[in-house]
Amino acid sequence: MGKKIRFLFFALCIGGAIGAFIWAFLRVMDIGQKFLFTGLPKLVQTPGLVLVVCILGGVVIGIYEKLFHASPENMEEVMAAIKKDGKYPCDRLAIRTVAALLPLVFGASLGPEAGLTGIIAGLCFWAGNKFRYAGKHIEELSQMGLAAALGVIFGSPLFGYSFSVEEERTAEYDRPVKMVTYIMAILGGFGVFVLLGRLFGGGAGLPRLTAPDIGNRERFSVIVLIPAGIVAGIVYTVFHAGSNRFFGILQRKYGVVACAALGGACLGAFGMSVPFSMFSGEAQMEVLAKDYLAYAPAMLIVIGAAKLFLTNVCIQSGWKGGHLFPVIFSGVSIGYGMGMLCAIDPVFGAAVVTAALLGYMMKKPVAVVLLLMLCFPLDAIVWMLVAAALGSAVPAFFHKEE
């Protein structure tokens, strides 16, 4: 019992350290973005400055990758590596942190989850190598660290717990004790993150959208909304395949710097012409929730599709990062557009379309609902679960047929 209590305290401390690191990472990202896209335009009032900054960002990212080969892996790749090998590289953590920050600072349509999960995993295994007590619990340590990181990044503790448990490899302790240790790590991370945010500013996580008015018209509309979310997932897959092929050929012929510079040019061009196309999307969701009536339904759908396209362009051109935050924004934008077209509550449309889209991509309906439940009203949970389940069934069906 004494060992278990000590391990719970250890989990709390690990979570607190992870919360502090994530706060510092996001704070630096926010300061860099504000300087480049708010402060700099006030100093240098030049047309097309956003395009110049993004192209310059692509050149910097390309050169950095050519020198250090340190671009972050996505969240699923990190967890798969830990599950397969029971370890994750813990060298060059400072270099990898800069590599994860650069695309975000230069306004990429990417989320921070990819870079942060890889760095947190590396830090956990570094601690296991340096400290005797941590080394005895290295696998539990890595899983707790990822659970705390995902919970803090997305502002959803249950998502952090569920996603990590589904990917876990082994466990020294029984499941009730493991559950408590995960919760302690997540609470430690949240506590420190929120405390630092209130003291010094900064924050993250998905915004809370207003409660929908669910009536019979909304219930019948799921016949249209769920296919719309699934189609958005298929569109993302098509964009992924096309951009992967195009930038793969380009990189082989002209190198990583030219590839990243072109990705920056695309980012800047979209940033000047398509609203909300740049950045990860969680802050833009709050603005969209207030101003969506200023856009035509078709425009909202175009904005969501453009975000899906630009996210793939960024990732495949060398601007590595996470895709979940921008995909969630795309689902919300398309859902608002579909809701207006169907003459239903737009928040309900956003909830169902986003759940179906994430279900198609993540193939984990319960994790999808746990991720979105703090963003959308509780009244929509049942419909989000149905949408996520049907969305996840589509790729599973085609995989089975193949």
Side-chain angles (χ1 to χ4, degrees):
M1 181 62 67
K3 291 182 178 179
K4 291 181 179 179
I5 293 175
R6 185 171 63 172
F7 191 60
L8 293 178
F9 179 74
F10 180 68
L12 182 68
C13 294
I14 288 295
I18 289 171
F21 180 85
I22 293 174
W23 175 86
F25 183 95
L26 296 178
R27 189 64 175 154
V28 172
M29 179 193 77
D30 184 58
I31 292 172
Q33 288 178 347
K34 286 181 177 178
F35 171 75
L36 289 176
F37 298 102
T38 303
L40 188 61
K42 295 179 181 179
L43 298 174
V44 183
Q45 298 180 357
T46 303
L49 181 62
V50 171
L51 180 61
V52 174
V53 169
C54 290
I55 294 174
L56 177 62
V59 172
V60 172
I61 291 167
I63 292 174
Y64 195 86
E65 173 63 15
K66 189 173 183 178
L67 291 175
F68 298 107
H69 302 284
S71 60
E73 295 181 300
N74 64 43
M75 189 170 62
E76 291 79 7
E77 290 172 340
V78 172
M79 293 185 166
I82 296 174
K83 186 175 181 180
K84 179 182 177 182
D85 304 324
K87 59 181 180 179
Y88 195 77
C90 56
D91 58 330
R92 305 191 307 158
L93 289 175
I95 292 174
R96 287 159 55 190
T97 300
V98 174
L101 270 170
L102 283 175
L104 300 173
V105 168
F106 280 101
S109 178
L110 302 168
E113 69 274 11
L116 280 171
T117 50
I119 296 166
I120 295 299
L123 286 171
C124 290
F125 282 97
W126 175 85
N129 293 332
K130 293 294 181 180
F131 302 104
R132 181 183 302 176
Y133 183 76
K136 295 178 181 179
H137 308 283
I138 187 64
E139 294 186 16
E140 292 90 347
L141 175 63
S142 64
Q143 295 296 337
M144 287 187 304
L146 291 175
L150 293 176
V152 172
I153 293 167
F154 289 99
S156 178
L158 291 176
F159 172 70
Y161 173 78
S162 67
F163 202 101
S164 294
V165 167
E166 288 182 15
E167 300 290 342
E168 70 183 6
R169 186 170 180 264
T170 59
E172 178 182 343
Y173 296 117
D174 51 60
R175 183 163 292 276
V177 175
K178 173 177 281 292
M179 179 184 296
V180 176
T181 57
Y182 275 55
I183 293 173
M184 293 295 285
I186 294 171
L187 290 178
F190 256 99
V192 172
F193 183 83
V194 172
L195 177 62
L196 290 173
R198 290 185 176 180
L199 290 175
F200 305 105
L206 298 171
R208 179 75 176 175
L209 302 183
T210 57
D213 182 16
I214 302 176
N216 289 331
R217 192 177 184 90
E218 279 75 21
R219 297 184 184 97
F220 284 119
S221 70
V222 298
I223 301 174
V224 177
L225 297 175
I226 293 176
I230 295 173
V231 169
I234 296 172
V235 168
Y236 180 92
T237 304
V238 172
F239 286 157
H240 173 81
S243 58
N244 181 45
R245 180 176 178 81
F246 174 79
F247 284 106
I249 296 173
L250 186 68
Q251 183 172 335
R252 287 193 296 270
K253 287 186 175 181
Y254 301 105
V256 65
V257 177
C259 200
L262 180 58
C266 294
L267 177 66
F270 271 76
M272 293 190 301
S273 57
V274 181
F276 307 112
S277 56
M278 297 178 66
F279 308 108
S280 58
E282 68 272 19
Q284 287 77 13
M285 279 176 59
E286 295 187 42
V287 179
L288 185 65
K290 297 176 182 178
D291 300 339
Y292 70 90
L293 289 175
Y295 300 92
M299 184 61 185
L300 291 171
I301 296 173
V302 168
I303 290 172
K307 192 80 169 175
L308 295 176
F309 173 76
L310 192 57
T311 298
N312 277 293
V313 168
C314 288
I315 293 174
Q316 301 305 326
S317 65
W319 294 56
K320 300 294 185 179
H323 63 278
L324 285 182
F325 274 117
V327 165
I328 291 171
F329 174 88
S330 294
V332 171
S333 183
I334 294 171
Y336 273 132
M338 293 298 300
M340 293 169 67
L341 287 175
C342 297
I344 61 169
D345 190 296
V347 176
F348 181 80
V352 175
V353 170
T354 305
L357 170 57
L358 285 180
Y360 179 89
M361 296 184 62
M362 294 174 59
K363 306 172 186 65
K364 296 178 181 180
V366 175
V368 169
V369 174
L370 293 176
L371 172 60
L372 298 178
M373 65 183 298
L374 296 182
C375 179
F376 295 106
L378 297 179
D379 293 346
I381 282 183
V382 173
W383 297 106
M384 287 194 295
L385 183 59
V386 171
L390 292 176
S392 64
V394 173
F397 172 78
F398 284 109
H399 180 73
K400 183 178 179 181
E401 288 296 312
E402 290 175 0

